[in-house]
Amino acid sequence: MAIYRKKRRTLKKFFMVLIVIIFLIGLVFFQRENVLMMSTLFQDVGSEINKLFLPKKIDYTNITSLQEQALEAENEELKKLLSLKTTISSSELVFGLITSRHVDYWFDTVIIDKGQKDGVNVDMVAINDQGLVGKVVASYPHSSKVQLLSANDPNNKIAVDIVGKENTYKGIISGYDFSKNYILVTSIRSTSNIQVGDTVMTNGVGALFPSQIAVGTVEEILTDDLGVSKVLGVSSAVDFENVRYLAILGKENQP
């Protein structure tokens, strides 16, 4: 009987030790899983922090491609501008690069890198291969300020011809509609037979702007508030927002 009790106590101790061992093994594995989970969590958080605060990897290949495209566009614009030499016979054609324009007056005035020492003076006309761009309003020794045709200046009146299929009518550039990107031409009789698609060109009246400079194409025909004259919305081929090069017509090209 005593031997049986002794074996029973021994077996009981064995099971207790076995349970403790199993518990400890489970605890070790549980802690290991927690450590792995915490390690993974910290790695994920660290990765997100790096994305927020560390500089991103720059794709220089893409930047180079964009630079090449911009350079090609500038070269093409300059090439077209230089082609004016074949249509305007004068040594007084001065080519200028736009070097500055104020963000608040982007569509009003620009600064070019040609001035009085290059023969550029106030009231000279600025054009590009697409047509009339504006006029010089200030001239300095090495630079000049050009007022764009898109400047909504009521004092900047320019006499133009509206050339239709059968007749030519007179009008005056008197403003710019930014909502539609239209040059506004007024002072046209309501009985004038003007059609959408008619060509608008300077006519040389006023002794400032030479004749036959392209202004644009009639896109919209309206009537003024009194109903006695027409108002034309004229679309220019000139990209006033992105123009970079100009040609200034010298004295020999003035009327």
Short mmCIF file of all heavy atoms in Angstrom, two decimals, residues 114-164:
data_model
loop_
_atom_site.label_atom_id
_atom_site.label_comp_id
_atom_site.label_asym_id
_atom_site.label_seq_id
_atom_site.Cartn_x
_atom_site.Cartn_y
_atom_site.Cartn_z
N LYS A 114 16.02 93.02 -75.52
CA LYS A 114 16.51 93.99 -76.51
C LYS A 114 15.99 95.37 -76.15
O LYS A 114 14.83 95.53 -75.74
CB LYS A 114 16.03 93.62 -77.92
CG LYS A 114 16.61 92.30 -78.42
CD LYS A 114 18.11 92.36 -78.59
CE LYS A 114 18.68 91.10 -79.23
NZ LYS A 114 18.56 89.93 -78.37
N GLY A 115 16.87 96.38 -76.32
CA GLY A 115 16.49 97.73 -75.94
C GLY A 115 16.99 98.79 -76.91
O GLY A 115 17.20 98.52 -78.10
N GLN A 116 17.21 99.98 -76.39
CA GLN A 116 17.59 101.13 -77.21
C GLN A 116 18.89 100.88 -77.98
O GLN A 116 19.01 101.29 -79.14
CB GLN A 116 17.73 102.36 -76.32
CG GLN A 116 16.42 102.80 -75.68
CD GLN A 116 16.63 103.83 -74.58
OE1 GLN A 116 17.77 104.11 -74.18
NE2 GLN A 116 15.53 104.38 -74.07
N LYS A 117 19.85 100.20 -77.37
CA LYS A 117 21.11 99.95 -78.06
C LYS A 117 20.97 98.95 -79.20
O LYS A 117 21.87 98.80 -80.02
CB LYS A 117 22.16 99.45 -77.06
CG LYS A 117 22.58 100.54 -76.06
CD LYS A 117 23.77 100.11 -75.23
CE LYS A 117 24.24 101.25 -74.33
NZ LYS A 117 25.43 100.88 -73.53
N ASP A 118 19.81 98.26 -79.23
CA ASP A 118 19.53 97.32 -80.32
C ASP A 118 18.58 97.93 -81.34
O ASP A 118 18.18 97.27 -82.31
CB ASP A 118 18.90 96.05 -79.76
CG ASP A 118 19.78 95.39 -78.71
OD1 ASP A 118 20.82 94.86 -79.08
OD2 ASP A 118 19.40 95.43 -77.51
N GLY A 119 18.22 99.22 -81.12
CA GLY A 119 17.32 99.90 -82.05
C GLY A 119 15.86 99.77 -81.71
O GLY A 119 15.00 100.07 -82.55
N VAL A 120 15.54 99.31 -80.50
CA VAL A 120 14.14 99.16 -80.08
C VAL A 120 13.70 100.41 -79.32
O VAL A 120 14.34 100.81 -78.35
CB VAL A 120 13.96 97.92 -79.19
CG1 VAL A 120 12.51 97.80 -78.71
CG2 VAL A 120 14.37 96.66 -79.95
N ASN A 121 12.58 101.00 -79.77
CA ASN A 121 12.07 102.21 -79.14
C ASN A 121 10.56 102.10 -78.89
O ASN A 121 9.89 101.18 -79.39
CB ASN A 121 12.35 103.43 -80.04
CG ASN A 121 13.83 103.70 -80.18
OD1 ASN A 121 14.53 103.96 -79.21
ND2 ASN A 121 14.34 103.61 -81.41
N VAL A 122 10.05 103.03 -78.11
CA VAL A 122 8.63 103.04 -77.75
C VAL A 122 7.76 103.13 -79.00
O VAL A 122 8.11 103.81 -79.97
CB VAL A 122 8.34 104.22 -76.80
CG1 VAL A 122 6.83 104.38 -76.56
CG2 VAL A 122 9.05 104.02 -75.46
N ASP A 123 6.63 102.43 -78.98
CA ASP A 123 5.61 102.40 -80.03
C ASP A 123 5.98 101.50 -81.21
O ASP A 123 5.23 101.43 -82.19
CB ASP A 123 5.27 103.80 -80.55
CG ASP A 123 4.42 104.58 -79.56
OD1 ASP A 123 3.79 103.93 -78.69
OD2 ASP A 123 4.39 105.81 -79.63
N MET A 124 7.11 100.81 -81.12
CA MET A 124 7.39 99.83 -82.17
C MET A 124 6.49 98.61 -81.96
O MET A 124 6.08 98.30 -80.84
CB MET A 124 8.87 99.42 -82.14
CG MET A 124 9.79 100.48 -82.72
SD MET A 124 11.51 99.90 -82.81
CE MET A 124 12.26 101.24 -83.73
N VAL A 125 6.21 97.91 -83.04
CA VAL A 125 5.24 96.81 -83.02
C VAL A 125 5.95 95.48 -82.79
O VAL A 125 7.01 95.21 -83.36
CB VAL A 125 4.46 96.78 -84.35
CG1 VAL A 125 3.49 95.60 -84.37
CG2 VAL A 125 3.72 98.09 -84.55
N ALA A 126 5.32 94.63 -81.95
CA ALA A 126 5.85 93.29 -81.66
C ALA A 126 4.97 92.24 -82.33
O ALA A 126 3.74 92.27 -82.21
CB ALA A 126 5.88 93.05 -80.15
N ILE A 127 5.61 91.31 -83.03
CA ILE A 127 4.88 90.24 -83.71
C ILE A 127 5.60 88.91 -83.49
O ILE A 127 6.71 88.88 -82.96
CB ILE A 127 4.77 90.50 -85.24
CG1 ILE A 127 6.17 90.49 -85.88
CG2 ILE A 127 4.05 91.80 -85.52
CD1 ILE A 127 6.15 90.56 -87.39
N ASN A 128 4.96 87.82 -83.88
CA ASN A 128 5.66 86.55 -84.06
C ASN A 128 5.13 85.91 -85.34
O ASN A 128 4.43 86.57 -86.11
CB ASN A 128 5.53 85.64 -82.83
CG ASN A 128 4.13 85.12 -82.62
OD1 ASN A 128 3.21 85.35 -83.41
ND2 ASN A 128 3.93 84.40 -81.53
N ASP A 129 5.45 84.67 -85.59
CA ASP A 129 5.06 84.06 -86.86
C ASP A 129 3.55 83.88 -86.97
O ASP A 129 3.03 83.64 -88.07
CB ASP A 129 5.74 82.71 -87.02
CG ASP A 129 5.31 81.71 -85.97
OD1 ASP A 129 5.60 81.95 -84.77
OD2 ASP A 129 4.67 80.71 -86.33
N GLN A 130 2.81 83.99 -85.84
CA GLN A 130 1.36 83.83 -85.85
C GLN A 130 0.61 85.14 -86.05
O GLN A 130 -0.57 85.13 -86.35
CB GLN A 130 0.90 83.18 -84.54
CG GLN A 130 1.47 81.79 -84.29
CD GLN A 130 1.02 80.79 -85.32
OE1 GLN A 130 -0.08 80.88 -85.86
NE2 GLN A 130 1.87 79.82 -85.63
N GLY A 131 1.30 86.27 -85.85
CA GLY A 131 0.63 87.55 -86.05
C GLY A 131 1.00 88.60 -85.02
O GLY A 131 2.07 88.54 -84.39
N LEU A 132 0.08 89.55 -84.81
CA LEU A 132 0.31 90.68 -83.92
C LEU A 132 0.33 90.24 -82.46
O LEU A 132 -0.57 89.54 -81.99
CB LEU A 132 -0.79 91.73 -84.13
CG LEU A 132 -0.69 93.02 -83.32
CD1 LEU A 132 0.58 93.79 -83.68
CD2 LEU A 132 -1.92 93.89 -83.56
N VAL A 133 1.38 90.66 -81.74
CA VAL A 133 1.52 90.31 -80.32
C VAL A 133 1.29 91.52 -79.43
O VAL A 133 0.66 91.43 -78.39
CB VAL A 133 2.91 89.71 -80.04
CG1 VAL A 133 3.06 89.40 -78.54
CG2 VAL A 133 3.12 88.45 -80.86
N GLY A 134 1.79 92.71 -79.83
CA GLY A 134 1.61 93.90 -79.01
C GLY A 134 2.49 95.04 -79.50
O GLY A 134 2.85 95.10 -80.69
N LYS A 135 2.84 95.92 -78.58
CA LYS A 135 3.70 97.05 -78.94
C LYS A 135 4.61 97.40 -77.77
O LYS A 135 4.33 97.08 -76.61
CB LYS A 135 2.85 98.27 -79.31
CG LYS A 135 2.09 98.88 -78.13
CD LYS A 135 1.35 100.15 -78.54
CE LYS A 135 0.61 100.75 -77.35
NZ LYS A 135 -0.10 102.01 -77.72
N VAL A 136 5.73 98.05 -78.07
CA VAL A 136 6.69 98.48 -77.06
C VAL A 136 6.15 99.71 -76.34
O VAL A 136 5.80 100.71 -76.98
CB VAL A 136 8.06 98.80 -77.70
CG1 VAL A 136 9.04 99.28 -76.63
CG2 VAL A 136 8.61 97.57 -78.42
N VAL A 137 6.06 99.64 -75.01
CA VAL A 137 5.54 100.78 -74.23
C VAL A 137 6.63 101.43 -73.39
O VAL A 137 6.43 102.52 -72.85
CB VAL A 137 4.37 100.35 -73.34
CG1 VAL A 137 3.17 99.96 -74.18
CG2 VAL A 137 4.77 99.19 -72.41
N ALA A 138 7.79 100.78 -73.26
CA ALA A 138 8.91 101.38 -72.54
C ALA A 138 10.19 100.76 -73.08
O ALA A 138 10.24 99.55 -73.34
CB ALA A 138 8.80 101.14 -71.04
N SER A 139 11.23 101.60 -73.24
CA SER A 139 12.49 101.11 -73.79
C SER A 139 13.65 101.59 -72.92
O SER A 139 13.72 102.76 -72.52
CB SER A 139 12.67 101.61 -75.22
OG SER A 139 13.86 101.10 -75.78
N TYR A 140 14.55 100.67 -72.62
CA TYR A 140 15.72 100.94 -71.80
C TYR A 140 16.97 100.56 -72.61
O TYR A 140 16.84 100.00 -73.71
CB TYR A 140 15.65 100.15 -70.50
CG TYR A 140 14.30 100.23 -69.84
CD1 TYR A 140 13.41 99.15 -69.93
CD2 TYR A 140 13.88 101.36 -69.16
CE1 TYR A 140 12.15 99.20 -69.34
CE2 TYR A 140 12.62 101.43 -68.57
CZ TYR A 140 11.76 100.35 -68.67
OH TYR A 140 10.51 100.42 -68.10
N PRO A 141 18.15 100.88 -72.12
CA PRO A 141 19.35 100.59 -72.92
C PRO A 141 19.46 99.13 -73.38
O PRO A 141 19.83 98.88 -74.53
CB PRO A 141 20.49 100.96 -71.96
CG PRO A 141 19.90 102.03 -71.10
CD PRO A 141 18.47 101.65 -70.90
N HIS A 142 19.16 98.18 -72.50
CA HIS A 142 19.36 96.77 -72.87
C HIS A 142 18.09 95.92 -72.76
O HIS A 142 18.17 94.69 -72.87
CB HIS A 142 20.45 96.15 -71.98
CG HIS A 142 21.77 96.84 -72.09
ND1 HIS A 142 22.59 96.70 -73.19
CD2 HIS A 142 22.41 97.71 -71.25
CE1 HIS A 142 23.69 97.43 -73.03
NE2 HIS A 142 23.60 98.05 -71.85
N SER A 143 16.96 96.53 -72.56
CA SER A 143 15.70 95.78 -72.45
C SER A 143 14.53 96.69 -72.80
O SER A 143 14.67 97.90 -72.88
CB SER A 143 15.53 95.20 -71.04
OG SER A 143 15.43 96.25 -70.09
N SER A 144 13.37 96.06 -72.98
CA SER A 144 12.16 96.83 -73.31
C SER A 144 10.94 96.14 -72.72
O SER A 144 10.94 94.92 -72.49
CB SER A 144 11.98 96.95 -74.83
OG SER A 144 13.07 97.62 -75.42
N LYS A 145 9.90 96.94 -72.46
CA LYS A 145 8.63 96.41 -71.98
C LYS A 145 7.64 96.42 -73.14
O LYS A 145 7.46 97.43 -73.81
CB LYS A 145 8.08 97.24 -70.82
CG LYS A 145 6.74 96.73 -70.28
CD LYS A 145 6.15 97.67 -69.25
CE LYS A 145 6.95 97.63 -67.96
NZ LYS A 145 6.27 98.43 -66.89
N VAL A 146 7.00 95.27 -73.36
CA VAL A 146 6.03 95.13 -74.44
C VAL A 146 4.64 94.89 -73.84
O VAL A 146 4.46 93.99 -73.02
CB VAL A 146 6.40 93.95 -75.36
CG1 VAL A 146 5.33 93.73 -76.42
CG2 VAL A 146 7.76 94.20 -76.01
N GLN A 147 3.69 95.70 -74.26
CA GLN A 147 2.30 95.48 -73.85
C GLN A 147 1.66 94.50 -74.83
O GLN A 147 1.66 94.72 -76.03
CB GLN A 147 1.51 96.79 -73.84
CG GLN A 147 0.08 96.62 -73.35
CD GLN A 147 -0.69 97.93 -73.41
OE1 GLN A 147 -0.79 98.57 -74.47
NE2 GLN A 147 -1.23 98.36 -72.28
N LEU A 148 1.12 93.41 -74.29
CA LEU A 148 0.51 92.39 -75.13
C LEU A 148 -0.87 92.81 -75.61
O LEU A 148 -1.55 93.61 -74.97
CB LEU A 148 0.41 91.07 -74.36
CG LEU A 148 1.72 90.49 -73.81
CD1 LEU A 148 1.42 89.23 -73.02
CD2 LEU A 148 2.69 90.21 -74.94
N LEU A 149 -1.28 92.23 -76.72
CA LEU A 149 -2.61 92.49 -77.25
C LEU A 149 -3.68 91.97 -76.30
O LEU A 149 -4.82 92.42 -76.31
CB LEU A 149 -2.76 91.83 -78.62
CG LEU A 149 -3.86 92.33 -79.55
CD1 LEU A 149 -3.70 93.82 -79.83
CD2 LEU A 149 -3.86 91.55 -80.85
N SER A 150 -3.32 91.01 -75.45
CA SER A 150 -4.26 90.45 -74.48
C SER A 150 -4.46 91.34 -73.26
O SER A 150 -5.30 91.03 -72.41
CB SER A 150 -3.79 89.06 -74.04
OG SER A 150 -2.48 89.12 -73.51
N ALA A 151 -3.70 92.43 -73.15
CA ALA A 151 -3.90 93.37 -72.06
C ALA A 151 -5.21 94.11 -72.30
O ALA A 151 -5.40 94.71 -73.36
CB ALA A 151 -2.74 94.36 -71.98
N ASN A 152 -6.10 94.06 -71.35
CA ASN A 152 -7.42 94.69 -71.52
C ASN A 152 -7.31 96.19 -71.26
O ASN A 152 -7.86 96.71 -70.28
CB ASN A 152 -8.44 94.03 -70.59
CG ASN A 152 -9.87 94.36 -70.98
OD1 ASN A 152 -10.11 94.86 -72.08
ND2 ASN A 152 -10.80 94.11 -70.09
N ASP A 153 -6.61 96.87 -72.16
CA ASP A 153 -6.38 98.31 -72.03
C ASP A 153 -7.31 99.06 -72.97
O ASP A 153 -7.16 98.99 -74.19
CB ASP A 153 -4.92 98.63 -72.37
CG ASP A 153 -4.59 100.10 -72.20
OD1 ASP A 153 -5.49 100.88 -71.81
OD2 ASP A 153 -3.43 100.47 -72.45
N PRO A 154 -8.31 99.77 -72.43
CA PRO A 154 -9.27 100.49 -73.28
C PRO A 154 -8.64 101.59 -74.12
O PRO A 154 -9.22 102.04 -75.10
CB PRO A 154 -10.28 101.07 -72.28
CG PRO A 154 -9.53 101.15 -70.98
CD PRO A 154 -8.59 99.99 -70.99
N ASN A 155 -7.44 102.01 -73.75
CA ASN A 155 -6.76 103.05 -74.51
C ASN A 155 -5.94 102.50 -75.67
O ASN A 155 -5.43 103.26 -76.49
CB ASN A 155 -5.85 103.87 -73.58
CG ASN A 155 -6.63 104.59 -72.49
OD1 ASN A 155 -7.68 105.16 -72.76
ND2 ASN A 155 -6.12 104.53 -71.27
N ASN A 156 -5.82 101.20 -75.73
CA ASN A 156 -5.00 100.58 -76.78
C ASN A 156 -5.88 100.29 -78.00
O ASN A 156 -6.26 99.15 -78.27
CB ASN A 156 -4.36 99.29 -76.25
CG ASN A 156 -3.32 98.75 -77.20
OD1 ASN A 156 -2.74 99.48 -78.00
ND2 ASN A 156 -3.09 97.45 -77.13
N LYS A 157 -6.22 101.32 -78.74
CA LYS A 157 -7.08 101.19 -79.92
C LYS A 157 -6.23 100.89 -81.16
O LYS A 157 -5.24 101.58 -81.42
CB LYS A 157 -7.87 102.48 -80.14
CG LYS A 157 -8.66 102.96 -78.93
CD LYS A 157 -9.82 102.03 -78.60
CE LYS A 157 -10.67 102.58 -77.47
NZ LYS A 157 -11.79 101.70 -77.11
N ILE A 158 -6.65 99.88 -81.91
CA ILE A 158 -5.92 99.51 -83.13
C ILE A 158 -6.92 99.34 -84.26
O ILE A 158 -7.88 98.58 -84.14
CB ILE A 158 -5.14 98.19 -82.93
CG1 ILE A 158 -4.20 98.31 -81.73
CG2 ILE A 158 -4.37 97.84 -84.20
CD1 ILE A 158 -3.55 97.00 -81.34
N ALA A 159 -6.69 100.06 -85.36
CA ALA A 159 -7.59 99.98 -86.51
C ALA A 159 -7.33 98.69 -87.29
O ALA A 159 -6.18 98.32 -87.54
CB ALA A 159 -7.38 101.19 -87.42
N VAL A 160 -8.42 97.99 -87.64
CA VAL A 160 -8.29 96.72 -88.35
C VAL A 160 -9.27 96.63 -89.51
O VAL A 160 -10.25 97.38 -89.59
CB VAL A 160 -8.54 95.52 -87.39
CG1 VAL A 160 -7.47 95.46 -86.32
CG2 VAL A 160 -9.93 95.61 -86.77
N ASP A 161 -8.98 95.70 -90.40
CA ASP A 161 -9.90 95.33 -91.49
C ASP A 161 -10.44 93.95 -91.21
O ASP A 161 -9.69 93.05 -90.79
CB ASP A 161 -9.19 95.34 -92.84
CG ASP A 161 -8.96 96.74 -93.39
OD1 ASP A 161 -9.62 97.67 -92.91
OD2 ASP A 161 -8.09 96.88 -94.27
N ILE A 162 -11.75 93.78 -91.44
CA ILE A 162 -12.36 92.46 -91.39
C ILE A 162 -12.59 92.04 -92.83
O ILE A 162 -13.42 92.62 -93.54
CB ILE A 162 -13.67 92.46 -90.59
CG1 ILE A 162 -13.42 92.93 -89.16
CG2 ILE A 162 -14.28 91.05 -90.57
CD1 ILE A 162 -13.64 94.41 -88.94
N VAL A 163 -11.84 91.06 -93.26
CA VAL A 163 -11.83 90.67 -94.67
C VAL A 163 -12.76 89.47 -94.88
O VAL A 163 -12.49 88.36 -94.40
CB VAL A 163 -10.40 90.32 -95.14
CG1 VAL A 163 -10.41 89.99 -96.63
CG2 VAL A 163 -9.45 91.47 -94.84
N GLY A 164 -13.86 89.72 -95.61
CA GLY A 164 -14.79 88.66 -95.92
C GLY A 164 -14.60 88.14 -97.34
O GLY A 164 -13.65 88.52 -98.04
#
